[in-house]
Amino acid sequence: MKRRLVLLGPPGSGKGTQGELLSADLGIPTVSTGALFRDQMARGTALGVEAQTYIAQGHLVPDRVTNAMVQSRLGSADAVQGFILDGYPRNVPQVGVLEEILATQGLAIEGAVSLELPEDLIVGRLLKRASIEGRADDTEPVIRERLAVYHRETEPIIDVYRSRGLLLPVDGLGTVSEVADRIRRVLEIVA
Ligand code: AMP
């Protein structure tokens, strides 16, 4: 069973929701860099204060900050048996850093589940989420910027994982449970 996983997909593709379901299935934690940053911001830590300006504009938090946070989180006891990364890596350099972090323990990513969703649905889904969750970075101009950053910085990592034979594409259209079932099938949790 694959237990060191990356979840890929544009903002609003359901990575967070699917990550939580998969976490319950596999008994391993999700590691969401967005959630870790939001927690740091809510607690007003130095890291949170630094991240805030980037997040509010829809830009990526600098790699130096993000990579150190991920390295520390993956070193926690509960991540030893596996983890589901949601929102990391988000650019090609982060793919390499993640590889190095794991390689020091003789480990590697075993699969990259990529949620695929038509572009025109994404903005609507994010605006709907904004009205439910009230996330400060879910306003329309910031959503547009996050999508531009996604295309420019994050989308290229799909090809990187594909070329390594790790990419597991999943149709992200449908209900939460339909998509969850597709993920279980590509990961061979169910037949
Ligand atoms: P998310 O909840 O995954 O949409 O992340 C919210 C925001 O956190 C993003 O728009 C970025 O500003 C920041 N962020 C999350 N993950 C990363 C990452 N891997 N690298 C840089 N910034 C990130």
Side-chain angles (χ1 to χ4, degrees), residues 43-61:
R43 292 193 283 123
T45 66
L47 195 159
V49 171
E50 181 168 8
Q52 170 104 41
T53 42
Y54 299 95
I55 292 176
Q57 297 175 61
H59 297 150
L60 295 187
V61 177

Side-chain angles (χ1 to χ4, degrees), residues 33-34 37-38 55 59-61 66 87-88 90 94 135 137 146:
T33 40
F37 284 132
R38 283 187 287 279
I55 292 176
H59 297 150
L60 295 187
V61 177
T66 308
Y88 185 93
R90 227 174 178 102
Q94 290 181 5
R135 260 177 63 168
D137 61 344
R146 281 160 58 208

Side-chain angles (χ1 to χ4, degrees), residues 9-12 15-16 32-38 41 51-63 65-67 69-70 86-91 94 126 129 133 135 137-138 142 145-146 149 154:
K15 292 190 302 293
S32 158
T33 40
L36 289 172
F37 284 132
R38 283 187 287 279
M41 289 190 292
Q52 170 104 41
T53 42
Y54 299 95
I55 292 176
Q57 297 175 61
H59 297 150
L60 295 187
V61 177
D63 284 351
V65 177
T66 308
N67 291 332
M69 182 177 77
V70 170
D86 159 14
Y88 185 93
R90 227 174 178 102
N91 59 26
Q94 290 181 5
L126 286 170
R129 180 173 82 186
E133 293 180 13
R135 260 177 63 168
D137 61 344
D138 272 346
V142 180
E145 182 58 23
R146 281 160 58 208
V149 168
T154 310

Side-chain angles (χ1 to χ4, degrees), residues 140-167:
E140 184 146 6
V142 180
I143 288 171
R144 301 255 172 230
E145 182 58 23
R146 281 160 58 208
L147 277 175
V149 168
Y150 173 77
H151 288 307
R152 194 173 62 235
E153 308 263 345
T154 310
E155 222 165 29
I157 77 180
I158 293 178
D159 283 336
V160 175
Y161 282 115
R162 185 183 293 116
S163 71
R164 293 181 191 181
L166 292 172
L167 194 73

